[in-house]
Amino acid sequence: RAKAAGGNRFEFADAEADERAITRHGLTHALPAALERGEFFIEYQPLVHLGDGSVHGAEALVRWSHPQHGVLGPDRFIPLAEHTGLIVPLGRWVLQESVRQARFWQEKHADGGPLRINVNLSPTQLHHPGLVADTVEVLERAGLSPGALCLEVTESALIGADEGLLKPLRQLAEMGIDIALDDFGTGYSNLANLRRLPVSVLKLDRSFTQSMQRLPADPVDIKIVEGIVSLAHSLELAVTVEGVETGAQAEQLRELGCDTAQGWYYARPGAPDMIHSLVLMDAV
Ligand code: C2E
Ligand code: MG
Ligand code: MG
Ligand code: MG
């Protein structure tokens, strides 16, 4: 087929695809040992209040320090871990580690307001029957109050979700844990559906933020964000924006009524000490 099409380009593309498949295969097999050997680590990216720029909390973002391939981002291995089910123990480790970290920040900044921690959950974790019990145990062991935890679930993971899937989320929400709809606006979900979901935060996808990069921003995008914010607020949901890279974007999104923001403009994901220093800066 590729030859008939007459190009080396196709063979080259095939070879590249083969190599990617081999790497994927190798990474998939290396995952369990990597977890045992402690090759994963977490970077934290601050979430700030758009009103005054103070630190609201941080999102935990997992990375894999691979002995041959160097540091790999989650897009390289989370789908593989999802596929094999390793996401359950890996996700539990991320939760445990980041909750412990959040408790540590809170102890260090007892008067600095309740610093919060956001942790991503993937669909397989949502389906896992131990989710609620594991989460309760992790919080209790670390001594972190449920109100300081926000679990992020993508909009696409909840599209068409039945009661069976929503029940554990509802239980977590009833305990005071915030549930955020991550990458909101990309999943074409029915907005009326929002009422049915036990969520308290909408995280507007980066694609919206991107269109605010050049000012004046596209008037249609502005109207869309305005509409989402007003709907969210009328349902008593907070709005977080991701991917804020410039001060102009931040200002525009603040004017549109968004509550909190996250992005390179404030800080790239980094070591836990970075959050510590940012909170100290707030305090002065
Ligand atoms: P996400 O939850 O939507 O996280 C936001 C992503 O945007 C992160 O990518 C972050 O580094 C990146 N980002 C933040 N600010 C900016 C910005 O200003 N500009 C740009 N261009 N990018 C920005 P990252 O760390 O590569 O994570 C990718 C995705 O992997 C996450 O998307 C999340 O869905 C998933 N993920 C990360 N950690 C975990 C985890 O522990 N468990 C699960 N299940 N998924 C995770
Ligand atoms: Mg997220
Ligand atoms: Mg997101
Ligand atoms: Mg996103």
Side-chain angles (χ1 to χ4, degrees), residues 59 61 120 152 182-183 203 242:
E59 178 174 8
L61 297 160
N120 294 283
E152 300 192 358
D182 206 352
D183 302 342
K203 274 190 101 168
E242 23 172 69

Side-chain angles (χ1 to χ4, degrees), residues 154-174:
T154 60
E155 182 190 15
S156 53
L158 290 189
I159 286 180
D162 57 13
E163 260 318 296
L165 192 68
L166 294 182
K167 196 177 162 212
L169 280 185
R170 234 180 270 292
Q171 283 176 305
L172 293 165
E174 273 159 18

Side-chain angles (χ1 to χ4, degrees), residues 102-112 273 276 280:
R103 180 68 194 131
F104 180 74
W105 288 326
Q106 290 192 343
E107 271 165 9
K108 270 194 141 168
H109 307 282
D111 52 351
D273 276 2
H276 175 64
L280 282 182

Side-chain angles (χ1 to χ4, degrees), residues 45 59 62-63 74 94 120 182-183 206 242-243 245 263-264 269:
Q45 186 177 34
E59 178 174 8
V62 68
R63 279 90 178 83
V94 171
N120 294 283
D182 206 352
D183 302 342
R206 184 150 58 87
E242 23 172 69
E245 295 181 359
W264 296 346

Side-chain angles (χ1 to χ4, degrees), residues 161-230:
D162 57 13
E163 260 318 296
L165 192 68
L166 294 182
K167 196 177 162 212
L169 280 185
R170 234 180 270 292
Q171 283 176 305
L172 293 165
E174 273 159 18
M175 285 160 38
I177 295 170
D178 274 319
I179 310 291
L181 260 195
D182 206 352
D183 302 342
F184 183 78
T186 58
Y188 305 102
S189 64
N190 179 350
L191 286 180
N193 207 11
L194 277 177
R195 295 177 52 206
R196 215 167 59 84
L197 303 176
V199 299
S200 44
V201 181
L202 288 190
K203 274 190 101 168
L204 259 195
D205 190 67
R206 184 150 58 87
S207 49
F208 293 102
T209 325
Q210 260 164 349
S211 70
M212 307 286 151
Q213 206 146 18
R214 282 186 195 293
L215 295 183
D218 181 342
V220 176
D221 283 327
I222 292 193
K223 287 262 184 276
I224 293 175
V225 173
E226 244 168 11
I228 292 176
V229 170
S230 103

Side-chain angles (χ1 to χ4, degrees), residues 27-39:
L27 290 180
T28 304
H29 279 266
L31 277 167
L35 184 58
E36 256 168 53
R37 279 196 232 108
E39 290 173 6

Side-chain angles (χ1 to χ4, degrees), residues 62-142:
V62 68
R63 279 90 178 83
W64 181 0
S65 178
H66 190 284
Q68 277 94 46
H69 301 293
V71 174
L72 302 177
D75 292 335
R76 291 288 301 280
F77 61 86
I78 292 287
L80 309 178
E82 264 278 287
H83 193 69
T84 60
L86 195 85
I87 190 69
V88 171
L90 176 59
R92 199 185 292 128
W93 177 79
V94 171
L95 182 70
Q96 189 182 308
E97 185 62 20
S98 48
V99 158
R100 198 192 51 76
Q101 183 60 58
R103 180 68 194 131
F104 180 74
W105 288 326
Q106 290 192 343
E107 271 165 9
K108 270 194 141 168
H109 307 282
D111 52 351
L115 211 61
R116 312 166 42 80
I117 186 76
N118 286 35
V119 181
N120 294 283
L121 281 189
S122 57
T124 306
Q125 290 174 274
L126 277 183
H127 285 98
H128 189 260
L131 175 68
V132 175
D134 283 353
T135 307
V136 170
E137 195 200 319
V138 164
L139 287 171
E140 275 176 359
R141 217 182 319 145

